[in-house]
Amino acid sequence: PYNRGNASYVYGDLPLTLVRVAIEATNNEDIGKSKFFARQFSALADLFTIFFLYLIVSNLYGRKIGLFAATFSALAVMQIQQSHFFTSDLFVNLFMFLAILFAVGIIQYRESEMGNEELEIKDRESDGTETDDEASRLPNYTPRMFCSPLLWLSIGFGFALGMAMASKINAAVLAIMLPGAFIVRYFMYDKNRKLSANHWALIALFLIAGGLATIVSFRIFQPYAFNGLGLSEQWVKNISEQRLQATGEADLPWNLQWARRTHLYSFTNLTIWGLGLPLGILAWAGFLLMGWRIFKGEYKHLLLWGWTAFYFGWQSMQFNPTMRYQLPVYPLLC
């Protein structure tokens, strides 16, 4: 949009780029019909999100539960409604759920390369036989780190997150899920183990790799946010102006509708209209049950439950808690 003389554009360019490339690849360049072509891409993005949801849930709970989750998500009113419009939201969901799939892979992976060597170090430490040579093993971990699936899962998470941010910058909040996945791994597998400094050093390297992958991905898929290696002043200004509107500090006519809204506004609309009351009741009942099971020590639920609770609470507290902004948790509630 900047190239066409539009001074303000706060959404990501990746959805526009994908649709433009597809239009040219299919020789469907009638500009009058391009919006319908773009709407079909929104529907396609939601279908892929539902597929990723199926993979996520199947990995954690089995295929049967995965099919139920995918079916419920396919019937969610808000997802169907948004599939009829060319907006960035369903593209954000697509890449966010791809990132979540990588995060679930991190907590599901059991036999890591570092795990067996950690046990050997632990045994030597308990025997008191560890030598100075054996104590400084971090350099030996460097080549093995590149063979660890946890490294590539972290990089995959970061790359998908960068694409989500290139669709809408608010997706950056998902970054907390990568360290969250390693925290959940700790509670699931390592809570009762004595872990060496090498273990934490490797995790730090995985997190850094994920962060670098996010930056590279965002730089590739949102080039208009940059001026060379640095950020574009125009883009930063646009994002700052948009944040003023979203917080209510900018006194604009369309912001008046959000004045004096209760913080239950988002919950009410999501439950009654966004999911539909039968599915909405089931979703929140499942949410409470999952929270109870986490309290009882079933930590495998913590990643998805924690993200849903955090994101829903964060968006509900915003000045403009529109139900469209809650789309990243609709499939997970399902």
Side-chain angles (χ1 to χ4, degrees), residues 235-248:
W235 182 80
V236 171
K237 180 182 177 182
N238 288 170
I239 295 299
S240 300
E241 290 172 349
Q242 191 274 334
R243 289 308 305 159
L244 285 175
Q245 295 180 27
T247 58

Side-chain angles (χ1 to χ4, degrees), residues 9-25:
Y9 188 74
V10 297
Y11 293 98
D13 289 280
L14 182 56
L16 300 176
T17 305
L18 289 174
V19 172
R20 175 62 182 267
V21 169
I23 285 175
E24 293 184 358

Side-chain angles (χ1 to χ4, degrees), residues 45-306:
D46 194 49
L47 287 175
F48 271 102
T49 299
I50 293 168
F51 174 64
F52 289 149
L53 176 70
Y54 167 77
L55 296 179
I56 290 165
V57 178
S58 295
N59 283 339
L60 285 174
Y61 305 111
R63 292 182 178 179
K64 183 178 179 181
I65 307 301
L67 283 172
F68 271 109
T71 301
F72 287 145
S73 187
L75 297 173
V77 180
M78 192 61 183
Q79 288 179 246
I80 295 172
Q81 190 253 22
Q82 285 297 298
S83 295
H84 288 72
F85 296 91
F86 179 49
T87 61
S88 64
D89 299 272
L90 291 182
F91 292 89
V92 177
N93 260 19
L94 169 65
F95 299 119
M96 287 181 83
F97 274 80
L98 178 59
I100 292 171
L101 180 61
F102 284 115
V104 168
I106 289 172
I107 67 170
Q108 285 292 97
Y109 184 71
R110 293 293 301 271
E111 300 298 327
S112 67
E113 288 290 335
M114 63 179 180
N116 294 331
E117 195 156 351
E118 281 288 337
L119 290 175
E120 293 173 12
I121 293 172
K122 180 183 175 185
D123 290 339
R124 284 195 294 273
E125 287 175 343
S126 62
D127 293 337
T129 59
E130 185 178 16
T131 67
D132 290 339
D133 227 16
E134 292 171 325
S136 68
R137 299 181 61 89
L138 184 58
N140 295 334
Y141 273 79
T142 305
R144 301 187 68 173
M145 178 186 73
F146 291 101
C147 299
S148 171
L150 293 177
L151 172 68
W152 301 108
L153 288 167
S154 299
I155 291 173
F157 176 93
F159 204 79
L161 173 59
M163 297 177 79
M165 291 167 56
S167 301
K168 193 175 183 181
I169 192 62
N170 285 7
V173 71
L174 184 66
I176 65 171
M177 186 174 275
L178 184 58
F182 284 101
I183 291 171
V184 173
R185 274 187 65 84
Y186 171 80
F187 282 109
M188 290 177 66
Y189 310 129
D190 301 326
K191 189 171 66 166
N192 298 318
R193 289 174 52 196
K194 182 180 179 182
L195 302 173
S196 72
N198 284 339
H199 175 92
W200 300 113
L202 272 178
I203 289 179
L205 290 173
F206 295 152
L207 293 175
I208 291 170
L212 290 175
T214 303
I215 295 170
V216 170
S217 176
F218 184 67
R219 180 64 182 84
I220 293 171
F221 295 109
Q222 179 72 0
Y224 308 106
F226 292 85
N227 183 8
L229 292 177
L231 290 173
S232 161
E233 291 183 9
Q234 184 178 10
W235 182 80
V236 171
K237 180 182 177 182
N238 288 170
I239 295 299
S240 300
E241 290 172 349
Q242 191 274 334
R243 289 308 305 159
L244 285 175
Q245 295 180 27
T247 58
E249 292 182 39
D251 189 15
L252 300 165
W254 57 85
N255 265 355
L256 297 180
Q257 63 180 308
W258 303 115
R260 294 188 296 275
R261 294 285 188 190
T262 170
H263 291 308
L264 293 176
Y265 181 85
S266 191
F267 167 80
T268 304
N269 281 273
L270 181 150
T271 306
I272 297 176
W273 307 111
L275 291 174
L277 201 53
L279 181 55
I281 292 172
L282 281 175
W284 289 116
F287 179 82
L288 293 174
L289 177 60
M290 186 179 282
W292 173 251
R293 289 187 172 182
I294 294 169
F295 180 74
K296 301 295 282 185
E298 296 183 26
Y299 295 117
K300 73 173 183 177
H301 310 304
L302 186 56
L303 188 70
L304 300 186
W305 187 92

